[in-house]
Amino acid sequence: MSAFVDLKGRTILVTGGSRGIGEGIVRGLLEQGASVILNYSSSKERAEAIADEFGRDRCLPVQAHMDRVEDLERLWKEAVAWKGRVDTLVNNAAVRQPIPMTASSADWDAHWLYALKVNLMATAHLSRLAVLHFQEKGGGSIVGISARIAVRGDRPDFFHDGASKGAMNSLLRGIARFYAKENIQTYIICVGVIGTRQGEDMLSIYGAEEMLAEIPAGHFGEPSDVANVVVFCASGRAKYSSGATIDVTGASFIH
């Protein structure tokens, strides 16, 4: 009997894959046999180390800034050229920089525009390129790493993050509705508090006690918890669930 999840022969692009949740996703995909294009913006040393660990024939590190359209186009071209096709796009790269309501209009505007470029527009550009590619190749899938704040609303200092993730959810649901007939699937992973550097930054601001109090599971998640769901979505075993949102929140948010 074949393995339930086998990603051998599949080529997958992961944005923001050099640390945190992204690194967990990259490792999970590679461990199941996939070939992975690991995008990073500044963590070159870490990205190179991961590629060396798994072998350059299995993992291709590609630097690209998510707020630059020309970088996104180059990233996609390099990803497709590596193995001749991309089977799954994982939109993981995101920024979460606080900006208080009392900030100047200029600072508020700059934070919002940057978050929208990285969290939403990068996903939009890459997803468009993916859809066009999948139409030529006979299908494929897109995964978006979202969060519970996209639905329930974010804290005031992070309104821009929640808003951009909510828009990403709408984008991927639209692709699911109108391109499923062409064998193109999308999945939204709704993530709670995960034990990463970004998660630790949140703990330093709000405290572990407050954040743990709302998690029935009693602990924060790990990058592997997210990676396991991404692996399943990329396997092709969940095609009829296209457009679905999967919660990885320790039961702290269910919808």
Side-chain angles (χ1 to χ4, degrees):
M1 181 182 296
S2 60
F4 186 67
V5 176
D6 183 1
L7 300 182
K8 292 178 181 176
R10 293 179 181 270
T11 303
I12 301 173
L13 167 59
V14 180
T15 65
S18 61
R19 55 190 176 87
I21 292 174
E23 179 180 349
I25 293 171
V26 167
R27 289 183 176 278
L29 294 169
L30 287 166
E31 288 166 0
Q32 296 303 316
S35 296
V36 177
I37 299 96
L38 188 169
N39 157 254
Y40 67 95
S41 60
S42 58
S43 303
K44 180 177 181 179
E45 184 175 340
R46 186 60 187 160
E48 297 281 349
I50 296 171
D52 289 336
E53 179 182 344
F54 286 91
R56 295 303 177 107
D57 61 324
R58 298 274 321 284
C59 184
L60 175 69
V62 179
Q63 188 274 340
H65 294 282
M66 294 294 101
D67 61 332
R68 302 175 186 175
V69 176
E70 61 273 19
D71 275 24
L72 297 173
E73 293 178 339
R74 174 179 53 78
L75 169 62
W76 184 258
K77 288 179 181 178
E78 291 187 28
V80 172
W82 186 41
K83 300 287 184 179
R85 64 180 295 141
V86 170
D87 299 291
T88 299
L89 164 65
V90 181
N91 292 295
N92 167 73
V95 292
R96 186 173 172 79
Q97 300 173 345
I99 183 71
M101 296 285 278
T102 54
S104 69
S105 295
D107 286 345
W108 175 269
D109 189 65
H111 271 71
W112 270 80
L113 288 176
Y114 184 58
L116 289 171
K117 282 185 177 181
V118 175
N119 299 358
L120 173 61
M121 291 308 299
T123 295
H125 283 297
L126 290 173
S127 295
R128 179 182 72 86
L129 294 170
V131 167
L132 296 174
H133 178 71
F134 296 156
Q135 287 176 319
E136 293 181 356
K137 299 297 182 180
S141 59
I142 302 171
V143 179
I145 306 303
S146 189
R148 57 187 184 173
I149 48 93
V151 181
R152 72 175 191 175
D154 210 339
R155 296 171 181 267
D157 287 358
F158 299 96
F159 279 160
H160 49 313
D161 187 27
S164 60
K165 293 292 179 61
M168 181 184 75
N169 290 2
S170 179
L171 165 68
L172 296 185
R173 287 169 183 150
I175 292 174
R177 289 188 62 210
F178 292 96
Y179 292 97
K181 60 186 177 184
E182 297 184 61
N183 193 30
I184 298 172
Q185 298 85 40
T186 70
Y187 307 94
I188 300 166
I189 313 301
C190 177
V191 177
V193 182
I194 304 298
T196 64
R197 189 177 71 181
Q198 190 178 78
E200 291 172 357
D201 290 342
M202 293 297 293
L203 293 180
S204 68
I205 298 173
Y206 301 107
E209 184 176 352
E210 176 186 341
M211 301 192 77
L212 274 173
E214 66 174 11
I215 303 177
H219 60 86
F220 303 124
E222 298 294 333
S224 60
D225 293 318
V226 182
N228 291 338
V229 179
V230 174
V231 166
F232 179 58
C233 292
S235 72
R237 294 279 187 170
K239 287 186 175 181
Y240 207 64
S241 295
S242 182
T245 300
I246 305 172
D247 297 319
V248 184
T249 65
S252 65
F253 184 76
I254 302 170
H255 70 297

